[in-house]
Amino acid sequence: MTHGVDTDRNAAVGRMTRAGGGLRGLRPTAKVLPEHARSHNRSLVLQQLYRTEGLSRADIARSTGLTRVTISDLVGELIGEGLITELGQREDARPGKPATLLALNVHAFHLIGMDLSDKVAFHAARFDLGGTIIERISAPRGTAVGEDALELVYALVERLLRDETSPILGIGVGSPGVVDGEGRIRTAPNLGWHDLPLRDLLAERFELPVTVANDANAAVLAEHTFGSQDAASDLILIQIGAGVGAGLIVDGAPVSGSRSAAGEIGHVVVGTDGGPRCACGKDGCVEAWVAAGRLAEQLEQAADPAAAEALLAAAGERLGIALAPVVGVLNLSEIVLSGPTTLLEGPFADAVLETIRQRTISDIHAELTLRMTALGQDIVLRGAAVLVLSGQLGVS
Amino acid sequence: MTHGVDTDRNAAVGRMTRAGGGLRGLRPTAKVLPEHARSHNRSLVLQQLYRTEGLSRADIARSTGLTRVTISDLVGELIGEGLITELGQREDARPGKPATLLALNVHAFHLIGMDLSDKVAFHAARFDLGGTIIERISAPRGTAVGEDALELVYALVERLLRDETSPILGIGVGSPGVVDGEGRIRTAPNLGWHDLPLRDLLAERFELPVTVANDANAAVLAEHTFGSQDAASDLILIQIGAGVGAGLIVDGAPVSGSRSAAGEIGHVVVGTDGGPRCACGKDGCVEAWVAAGRLAEQLEQAADPAAAEALLAAAGERLGIALAPVVGVLNLSEIVLSGPTTLLEGPFADAVLETIRQRTISDIHAELTLRMTALGQDIVLRGAAVLVLSGQLGVS
DNA sequence: GTTAATTTGTTCGTAAGCTTTACTAACAAA
DNA sequence: TTTGTTAGTAAAGCTTACGAACAAATTAAC
């Protein structure tokens, strides 16, 4: 096998596109060829270096179970494509030939992530392969919907593509609404999009691999990848803003649902005692109880800090009531909240967790944790980057 | 190898498809070798013939995407092992060499399934590879717990093994309680089992591949495999008996949960208006509302049929309230009820579905269906068989 | 009634992928 | 200087799937 000759990066991208993602998400009816095994193992190497910089070929061989020979071959290929670089020799004083340390070359490619979930503006960024934001831009949305909104998206991508420091690996998009497995926006009322094949439109226009997902799904992917140290493989992320949405990872894989509409918790009725009227017409929806706008409004009218706390705790309790069956049935290990920290941190979050504990078998869920996301406003944006990284390199 | 099937190879397939579901973080994704691809493709062939009897090699090649050459090779191997037989030539009148039809040889191997979920007796059966019960036996449990209960299990297997019509492919067990990924019974209070490595005990004693799973999980697998025609890939099965349990399939894969305790819906509190006191100490648990015993009891006291119906509908509503958030978040497409038909069919089931519709966005869940299982009392037993079929042959 | 077209399943040679075995290089410790 | 260890490479071999080519069996066409 000859490597190190492939200097054409576009060709390399082409190969990676085919390689994408390894065996995950494989439908039981799909054949598997030896080359799929190869690309899976290739992703394995990248994954190791994505997590830990400065591993030797032998280190990777040990941790993957593949032989040093095979790893050498894969690493050679990846170095040839520019994805991996040799850092030099390990400094340790120990017997044997010193190891040559390797690292992901995070600037071999860049990638584009977009967040279309903000009502005020579309956000986009150029990332390196490590998931670090290199350049960030926004475009105020105004009242743009339909075709106009689409043009805004195109314009953002074009602006980011203009600065050609590194070839672009792909584009990831986190969009509100229902997004199917083919990256088509089934329906996004706020954007006036219905059955819009966004993935294919972008892919054709920019001749790049594109992945489109629901914003809450993108967010939970970001949380899964960048969030906590020991990434939980069963977690739910609750996004609280104008609406309330959820993204879910079960057994390490994002859940999209039978009609690509998973995560719809905002309009689930909670409790058996009515509740505030919701925009959807029902009484007592989760969204009617805990949407950020309503919470802020109520807080303003609160007589004193104690009353404010009670209000937040009551709202948190409602979310807890809705989540308890989900936590019980899925045996989730982690709940992450995303939204205005001032509203959610403290009494609200405490009440959510406490309510879930009270309403399930607390022993079983003793290890259940609840925390605020550490990714702040960028959560969807970074999730969009994860879409590309995991889709094109099998890394996350 | 005592029988003709390369179990190592199939175990490899299991590892591949479940990769990443185990120890989070510590174990990334397992390596994949060409031979794993081979065993995957092998399962693909079996799967085709499992679903449809009388396909030719060329048919299978077309539907899998593999070439006729490869399929011929795989089929040759499977015929060599006795798993597949040639039926003869296709009778159609069409040009070309007539096709040789193939079928799964369902008696090439038998397998053993066990249902330990019945409080009164343990049930076991010998199945053929098509999932048909060949022989069925039971052992009254009496008050047996702990070691005694284990001995009962051993005795049942021994009785089934005595009749050596076909070699045994493996043993599948559906057990109550919490069962981890290694087939260890973490805790099954009714059986007095704690941290019992049931899988390994059986495997060592009988020198056969063994798979152990939670009873509700086994049941939902049975439903997924044998239940409806167009197997939904996102469904929940609710078992209502002395207790209330749930088994869940998301994206075509069974869900075990972060601590192997998924499906625990029985002791989730439902509603915000109290409710009957539950054995667990809380008020208003699902189980306290809808356990079969309570329903039957209430029905006896009902003044007239209309009152009885109202009682059942009220109970169904409670289950619906608990399920609504789960359906909303996971976007499930199918709910299946298992339990006493006389209690669950009719007003109860209707109320469950109606309540869920009222408490979620009904458009999104327009295709949601709810039905009784068609598998009756044998559901866990047959699920145990599926455990073996899917674990050893990759078929389901 | 003969020839052409079509479909099935096999044989043979090849490319890809990983492993085993065997080697060189480079180092620490005694 | 010797011994033992570790890193990485090279060569050979096995497995897996593929493409090309072909024989067999049958229908369709003339």
Side-chain angles (χ1 to χ4, degrees):
Chain A
M1 171 133 197
T2 57
H3 37 70
V5 192
D6 187 353
T7 48
D8 182 353
R9 287 198 162 162
N10 285 325
V13 169
R15 188 156 49 245
M16 278 182 289
T17 305
R18 267 179 298 148
L23 293 171
R24 273 175 299 178
L26 201 102
R27 288 285 135 250
T29 48
K31 64 178 174 180
V32 174
L33 307 183
E35 69 199 78
H36 298 138
R38 174 80 169 183
S39 78
H40 176 97
N41 293 335
R42 206 183 107 104
S43 292
L44 226 51
V45 172
L46 288 173
Q47 180 89 14
Q48 299 286 326
L49 290 170
Y50 184 74
R51 283 212 242 271
T52 317
E53 188 173 291
L55 295 172
S56 69
R57 292 165 174 84
D59 290 335
I60 299 173
R62 275 186 292 268
S63 66
T64 58
L66 292 161
T67 61
R68 291 202 305 275
V69 178
T70 302
I71 295 300
S72 267
D73 192 35
L74 286 165
V75 165
E77 191 179 301
L78 291 166
I79 288 180
E81 291 169 12
L83 278 165
I84 285 184
T85 358
E86 294 190 337
L87 294 180
Q89 293 196 342
R90 178 176 276 151
E91 296 298 334
D92 301 34
R94 54 177 183 181
K97 176 177 170 179
T100 310
L101 300 183
L102 303 167
L104 197 65
N105 178 10
V106 294
H107 290 294
F109 295 91
H110 283 172
L111 48 103
I112 292 177
M114 304 195 76
D115 173 6
L116 311 184
S117 67
D118 184 349
K119 286 190 171 160
V120 179
F122 286 164
H123 306 285
R126 195 153 45 82
F127 292 80
D128 69 20
L129 294 183
T132 303
I133 295 179
I134 304 295
E135 181 187 359
R136 176 204 308 264
I137 60 177
S138 295
R141 235 194 82 199
T143 58
V145 292
E147 194 66 33
D148 294 344
L150 187 58
E151 288 298 333
L152 271 183
V153 171
Y154 289 156
L156 276 174
V157 175
E158 270 155 21
R159 273 171 64 193
L160 285 175
L161 285 177
R162 214 167 291 158
D163 184 5
E164 298 185 350
T165 49
S166 297
I168 298 294
L169 185 65
I171 303 173
V173 182
S175 165
V178 177
V179 184
D180 71 14
E182 272 71 49
R184 182 190 315 270
I185 313 291
R186 285 267 180 81
T187 162
N190 289 337
L191 298 176
W193 286 348
H194 297 279
D195 276 320
L196 180 78
L198 185 57
R199 185 192 69 182
D200 294 344
L201 287 172
L202 287 171
E204 195 172 341
R205 189 179 184 103
F206 298 109
E207 293 183 333
L208 284 172
V210 179
T211 312
V212 182
N214 169 269
D215 54 350
N217 270 346
V220 75
L221 274 176
E223 196 59 46
H224 184 55
T225 303
F226 302 114
S228 60
Q229 288 295 359
D230 52 336
S233 57
D234 295 89
L235 74 116
I236 190 169
L237 177 120
I238 311 286
Q239 271 191 308
I240 298 176
V244 176
L248 199 59
I249 285 182
V250 170
D251 230 15
V255 173
S256 54
S258 64
R259 308 301 292 178
S260 308
E264 186 44 69
I265 198 178
H267 297 286
V268 170
V269 176
V270 47
T272 46
D273 51 358
R277 172 61 51 97
C278 178
C280 73
K282 300 197 294 291
D283 291 332
C285 288
V286 168
E287 197 163 303
W289 285 105
V290 307
R294 176 176 181 271
L295 288 186
E297 219 169 80
Q298 286 197 314
L299 276 191
E300 275 179 18
Q301 295 172 3
D304 55 290
E309 260 195 34
L311 275 172
L312 290 171
E317 187 188 350
R318 288 290 156 169
L319 182 57
I321 293 172
L323 286 179
V326 179
V327 170
V329 167
L330 293 174
N331 186 211
L332 297 175
S333 60
E334 194 165 37
I335 299 171
V336 181
L337 299 180
S338 165
T341 313
T342 48
L343 295 174
L344 306 183
E345 218 163 15
F348 181 90
D350 294 345
V352 174
L353 188 57
E354 181 56 25
T355 304
I356 293 173
R357 289 200 195 285
Q358 280 172 6
R359 296 174 74 97
T360 58
I361 302 185
S362 45
D363 305 9
I364 292 183
H365 307 291
E367 285 153 4
L368 178 69
T369 60
L370 182 147
R371 58 183 177 81
M372 291 295 300
T373 176
L375 304 177
Q377 299 295 320
D378 292 338
I379 188 164
V380 174
L381 205 53
R382 301 197 70 181
V386 173
L387 290 174
V388 178
L389 286 172
S390 90
Q392 299 309 117
L393 301 182
V395 158
S396 68
Chain B
M1 184 105 353
T2 50
H3 45 77
V5 174
D6 184 348
T7 47
D8 257 343
R9 188 168 265 169
N10 293 296
V13 168
R15 263 201 308 281
M16 198 166 63
T17 46
R18 273 193 291 280
L23 308 165
R24 41 191 184 152
L26 292 179
R27 226 180 135 79
T29 325
K31 64 177 174 182
V32 174
L33 306 183
E35 67 202 79
H36 299 141
R38 172 85 169 180
S39 79
H40 176 97
N41 293 334
R42 205 181 107 103
S43 293
L44 225 53
V45 171
L46 288 174
Q47 180 91 15
Q48 300 284 328
L49 290 171
Y50 183 76
R51 283 211 238 273
T52 317
E53 188 173 289
L55 295 171
S56 70
R57 292 166 174 83
D59 290 334
I60 299 173
R62 274 185 294 267
S63 66
T64 58
L66 292 161
T67 63
R68 291 201 307 273
V69 179
T70 302
I71 296 298
S72 267
D73 191 38
L74 286 165
V75 165
E77 188 180 304
L78 291 165
I79 288 179
E81 291 169 12
L83 278 166
I84 285 184
T85 3
E86 295 191 337
L87 294 181
Q89 293 194 342
R90 177 176 278 152
E91 296 298 334
D92 301 33
R94 56 177 183 181
K97 176 178 170 179
T100 310
L101 300 183
L102 303 167
L104 198 63
N105 178 10
V106 294
H107 290 294
F109 294 91
H110 284 172
L111 48 103
I112 291 178
M114 306 195 73
D115 173 6
L116 311 184
S117 68
D118 184 349
K119 285 190 174 162
V120 179
F122 286 163
H123 306 285
R126 195 152 46 82
F127 293 79
D128 70 20
L129 293 183
T132 303
I133 294 179
I134 304 296
E135 181 187 358
R136 176 205 308 266
I137 59 177
S138 294
R141 235 194 82 198
T143 58
V145 292
E147 194 66 35
D148 293 344
L150 187 57
E151 289 297 332
L152 271 182
V153 172
Y154 290 156
L156 277 173
V157 175
E158 270 155 19
R159 275 170 63 193
L160 286 175
L161 285 177
R162 213 168 291 156
D163 184 4
E164 296 185 353
T165 49
S166 296
I168 298 295
L169 186 64
I171 303 174
V173 182
S175 165
V178 177
V179 184
D180 71 14
E182 272 72 47
R184 183 190 315 271
I185 314 290
R186 286 267 179 81
T187 163
N190 290 336
L191 298 177
W193 287 347
H194 297 278
D195 275 320
L196 179 78
L198 185 57
R199 186 191 70 181
D200 294 344
L201 288 172
L202 288 170
E204 195 173 340
R205 189 178 184 103
F206 298 108
E207 294 182 333
L208 285 170
V210 179
T211 312
V212 182
N214 169 269
D215 54 351
N217 269 347
V220 76
L221 274 176
E223 196 58 48
H224 184 56
T225 302
F226 302 114
S228 60
Q229 289 295 359
D230 51 337
S233 57
D234 294 88
L235 74 114
I236 190 169
L237 177 119
I238 311 286
Q239 271 192 307
I240 298 177
V244 177
L248 200 60
I249 285 184
V250 170
D251 229 15
V255 174
S256 54
S258 63
R259 306 301 291 177
S260 308
E264 185 45 66
I265 196 177
H267 296 286
V268 170
V269 175
V270 46
T272 45
D273 53 357
R277 173 59 52 98
C278 178
C280 74
K282 301 197 293 293
D283 291 333
C285 286
V286 169
E287 199 162 300
W289 284 104
V290 306
R294 176 174 181 272
L295 288 184
E297 217 169 81
Q298 286 197 312
L299 275 191
E300 275 179 20
Q301 296 172 4
D304 54 288
E309 258 195 38
L311 275 171
L312 289 171
E317 187 189 350
R318 287 290 155 169
L319 182 56
I321 293 172
L323 286 180
V326 179
V327 170
V329 167
L330 292 174
N331 186 212
L332 297 175
S333 60
E334 195 165 36
I335 299 172
V336 180
L337 299 180
S338 165
T341 314
T342 48
L343 293 174
L344 306 184
E345 218 163 15
F348 181 90
D350 295 345
V352 174
L353 188 58
E354 181 56 26
T355 304
I356 293 173
R357 288 199 196 286
Q358 281 173 4
R359 297 174 74 96
T360 58
I361 302 183
S362 44
D363 307 8
I364 292 182
H365 307 291
E367 286 151 4
L368 178 68
T369 60
L370 182 146
R371 58 184 178 79
M372 291 294 300
T373 176
L375 303 177
Q377 298 295 320
D378 291 338
I379 188 164
V380 174
L381 206 52
R382 302 196 70 181
V386 174
L387 289 174
V388 179
L389 285 172
S390 87
Q392 299 309 117
L393 301 182
V395 158
S396 68

